[in-house]
PDB file of all heavy atoms in Angstrom:
ATOM      1  N   THR N1260      -8.223 -10.023 -26.510  1.00 96.00           N
ATOM      2  CA  THR N1260      -6.856 -10.458 -26.651  1.00 96.00           C
ATOM      3  C   THR N1260      -6.053 -10.357 -25.364  1.00 96.00           C
ATOM      4  O   THR N1260      -5.173  -9.445 -25.156  1.00 96.00           O
ATOM      5  CB  THR N1260      -6.157  -9.450 -27.701  1.00 96.00           C
ATOM      6  OG1 THR N1260      -6.352  -8.123 -27.293  1.00 96.00           O
ATOM      7  CG2 THR N1260      -6.695  -9.609 -29.136  1.00 96.00           C
ATOM      8  N   PRO N1261      -6.424 -11.263 -24.407  1.00 96.00           N
ATOM      9  CA  PRO N1261      -5.662 -11.166 -23.168  1.00 96.00           C
ATOM     10  C   PRO N1261      -4.215 -11.592 -23.404  1.00 96.00           C
ATOM     11  O   PRO N1261      -3.926 -12.285 -24.318  1.00 96.00           O
ATOM     12  CB  PRO N1261      -6.465 -12.205 -22.326  1.00 96.00           C
ATOM     13  CG  PRO N1261      -7.078 -13.219 -23.266  1.00 96.00           C
ATOM     14  CD  PRO N1261      -7.432 -12.278 -24.480  1.00 96.00           C
ATOM     15  N   PRO N1262      -3.325 -11.268 -22.393  1.00 97.00           N
ATOM     16  CA  PRO N1262      -3.620 -10.568 -21.170  1.00 97.00           C
ATOM     17  C   PRO N1262      -3.657  -9.083 -21.318  1.00 97.00           C
ATOM     18  O   PRO N1262      -3.078  -8.473 -22.208  1.00 97.00           O
ATOM     19  CB  PRO N1262      -2.353 -10.973 -20.280  1.00 97.00           C
ATOM     20  CG  PRO N1262      -1.268 -11.081 -21.312  1.00 97.00           C
ATOM     21  CD  PRO N1262      -1.948 -11.701 -22.530  1.00 97.00           C
ATOM     22  N   TYR N1263      -4.565  -8.473 -20.468  1.00 97.00           N
ATOM     23  CA  TYR N1263      -4.700  -6.988 -20.452  1.00 97.00           C
ATOM     24  C   TYR N1263      -3.954  -6.351 -19.303  1.00 97.00           C
ATOM     25  O   TYR N1263      -3.950  -5.063 -19.193  1.00 97.00           O
ATOM     26  CB  TYR N1263      -6.172  -6.672 -20.350  1.00 97.00           C
ATOM     27  CG  TYR N1263      -6.906  -6.905 -21.616  1.00 97.00           C
ATOM     28  CD1 TYR N1263      -7.555  -8.132 -21.786  1.00 97.00           C
ATOM     29  CD2 TYR N1263      -7.016  -5.959 -22.709  1.00 97.00           C
ATOM     30  CE1 TYR N1263      -8.252  -8.454 -23.027  1.00 97.00           C
ATOM     31  CE2 TYR N1263      -7.717  -6.274 -23.807  1.00 97.00           C
ATOM     32  CZ  TYR N1263      -8.369  -7.477 -24.012  1.00 97.00           C
ATOM     33  OH  TYR N1263      -9.038  -7.802 -25.175  1.00 97.00           O
ATOM     34  N   LEU N1264      -3.476  -7.107 -18.436  1.00 97.00           N
ATOM     35  CA  LEU N1264      -2.885  -6.594 -17.171  1.00 97.00           C
ATOM     36  C   LEU N1264      -1.591  -7.313 -16.858  1.00 97.00           C
ATOM     37  O   LEU N1264      -1.418  -8.441 -17.248  1.00 97.00           O
ATOM     38  CB  LEU N1264      -3.958  -6.883 -16.048  1.00 97.00           C
ATOM     39  CG  LEU N1264      -3.706  -6.252 -14.652  1.00 97.00           C
ATOM     40  CD1 LEU N1264      -3.814  -4.704 -14.760  1.00 97.00           C
ATOM     41  CD2 LEU N1264      -4.781  -6.826 -13.705  1.00 97.00           C
ATOM     42  N   GLU N1265      -0.582  -6.617 -16.172  1.00 97.00           N
ATOM     43  CA  GLU N1265       0.559  -7.295 -15.818  1.00 97.00           C
ATOM     44  C   GLU N1265       1.039  -6.710 -14.382  1.00 97.00           C
ATOM     45  O   GLU N1265       0.566  -5.595 -14.009  1.00 97.00           O
ATOM     46  CB  GLU N1265       1.686  -7.087 -16.792  1.00 97.00           C
ATOM     47  CG  GLU N1265       2.075  -5.652 -17.075  1.00 97.00           C
ATOM     48  CD  GLU N1265       3.109  -5.471 -18.168  1.00 97.00           C
ATOM     49  OE1 GLU N1265       2.825  -5.649 -19.383  1.00 97.00           O
ATOM     50  OE2 GLU N1265       4.277  -5.268 -17.725  1.00 97.00           O
ATOM     51  N   ALA N1266       1.982  -7.358 -13.729  1.00 98.00           N
ATOM     52  CA  ALA N1266       2.438  -6.856 -12.427  1.00 98.00           C
ATOM     53  C   ALA N1266       3.855  -6.359 -12.519  1.00 98.00           C
ATOM     54  O   ALA N1266       4.406  -6.099 -11.505  1.00 98.00           O
ATOM     55  CB  ALA N1266       2.395  -8.096 -11.403  1.00 98.00           C
ATOM     56  N   THR N1267       4.352  -6.222 -13.775  1.00 98.00           N
ATOM     57  CA  THR N1267       5.699  -5.650 -13.894  1.00 98.00           C
ATOM     58  C   THR N1267       5.758  -4.215 -13.316  1.00 98.00           C
ATOM     59  O   THR N1267       5.026  -3.370 -13.694  1.00 98.00           O
ATOM     60  CB  THR N1267       6.108  -5.592 -15.370  1.00 98.00           C
ATOM     61  OG1 THR N1267       6.105  -7.010 -15.902  1.00 98.00           O
ATOM     62  CG2 THR N1267       7.503  -5.063 -15.600  1.00 98.00           C
ATOM     63  N   PRO N1268       6.641  -3.959 -12.397  1.00 98.00           N
ATOM     64  CA  PRO N1268       6.682  -2.678 -11.736  1.00 98.00           C
ATOM     65  C   PRO N1268       7.509  -1.693 -12.466  1.00 98.00           C
ATOM     66  O   PRO N1268       8.366  -1.964 -13.313  1.00 98.00           O
ATOM     67  CB  PRO N1268       7.350  -2.957 -10.405  1.00 98.00           C
ATOM     68  CG  PRO N1268       8.319  -4.011 -10.713  1.00 98.00           C
ATOM     69  CD  PRO N1268       7.720  -4.923 -11.776  1.00 98.00           C
ATOM     70  N   GLU N1269       7.152  -0.456 -12.260  1.00 98.00           N
ATOM     71  CA  GLU N1269       8.003   0.628 -12.602  1.00 98.00           C
ATOM     72  C   GLU N1269       9.002   1.034 -11.520  1.00 98.00           C
ATOM     73  O   GLU N1269       8.589   1.297 -10.393  1.00 98.00           O
ATOM     74  CB  GLU N1269       7.177   1.858 -12.978  1.00 98.00           C
ATOM     75  CG  GLU N1269       7.919   3.011 -13.688  1.00 98.00           C
ATOM     76  CD  GLU N1269       6.864   4.079 -14.226  1.00 98.00           C
ATOM     77  OE1 GLU N1269       5.762   4.020 -13.926  1.00 98.00           O
ATOM     78  OE2 GLU N1269       7.393   4.867 -15.039  1.00 98.00           O
ATOM     79  N   VAL N1270      10.295   1.003 -11.739  1.00 98.00           N
ATOM     80  CA  VAL N1270      11.319   1.177 -10.665  1.00 98.00           C
ATOM     81  C   VAL N1270      12.015   2.390 -10.785  1.00 98.00           C
ATOM     82  O   VAL N1270      12.475   2.876 -11.878  1.00 98.00           O
ATOM     83  CB  VAL N1270      12.336  -0.011 -10.720  1.00 98.00           C
ATOM     84  CG1 VAL N1270      13.377   0.162  -9.609  1.00 98.00           C
ATOM     85  CG2 VAL N1270      11.666  -1.414 -10.568  1.00 98.00           C
ATOM     86  N   THR N1271      12.106   3.146  -9.610  1.00 98.00           N
ATOM     87  CA  THR N1271      12.765   4.429  -9.521  1.00 98.00           C
ATOM     88  C   THR N1271      13.866   4.355  -8.590  1.00 98.00           C
ATOM     89  O   THR N1271      13.803   3.727  -7.482  1.00 98.00           O
ATOM     90  CB  THR N1271      11.767   5.531  -9.078  1.00 98.00           C
ATOM     91  OG1 THR N1271      10.642   5.579  -9.908  1.00 98.00           O
ATOM     92  CG2 THR N1271      12.406   6.935  -9.015  1.00 98.00           C
ATOM     93  N   TYR N1272      15.014   4.889  -8.888  1.00 98.00           N
ATOM     94  CA  TYR N1272      16.228   4.922  -7.973  1.00 98.00           C
ATOM     95  C   TYR N1272      16.488   6.417  -7.569  1.00 98.00           C
ATOM     96  O   TYR N1272      16.371   7.325  -8.273  1.00 98.00           O
ATOM     97  CB  TYR N1272      17.467   4.455  -8.695  1.00 98.00           C
ATOM     98  CG  TYR N1272      18.666   4.734  -7.832  1.00 98.00           C
ATOM     99  CD1 TYR N1272      18.973   4.062  -6.644  1.00 98.00           C
ATOM    100  CD2 TYR N1272      19.611   5.604  -8.262  1.00 98.00           C
ATOM    101  CE1 TYR N1272      20.104   4.324  -5.950  1.00 98.00           C
ATOM    102  CE2 TYR N1272      20.808   5.886  -7.493  1.00 98.00           C
ATOM    103  CZ  TYR N1272      21.009   5.272  -6.310  1.00 98.00           C
ATOM    104  OH  TYR N1272      22.175   5.592  -5.643  1.00 98.00           O
TER     105      TYR N1272
END
Side-chain angles (χ1 to χ4, degrees):
T1260 56
Y1263 288 91
L1264 189 67
E1265 61 182 79
T1267 303
E1269 193 169 8
V1270 178
T1271 305
Y1272 167 69

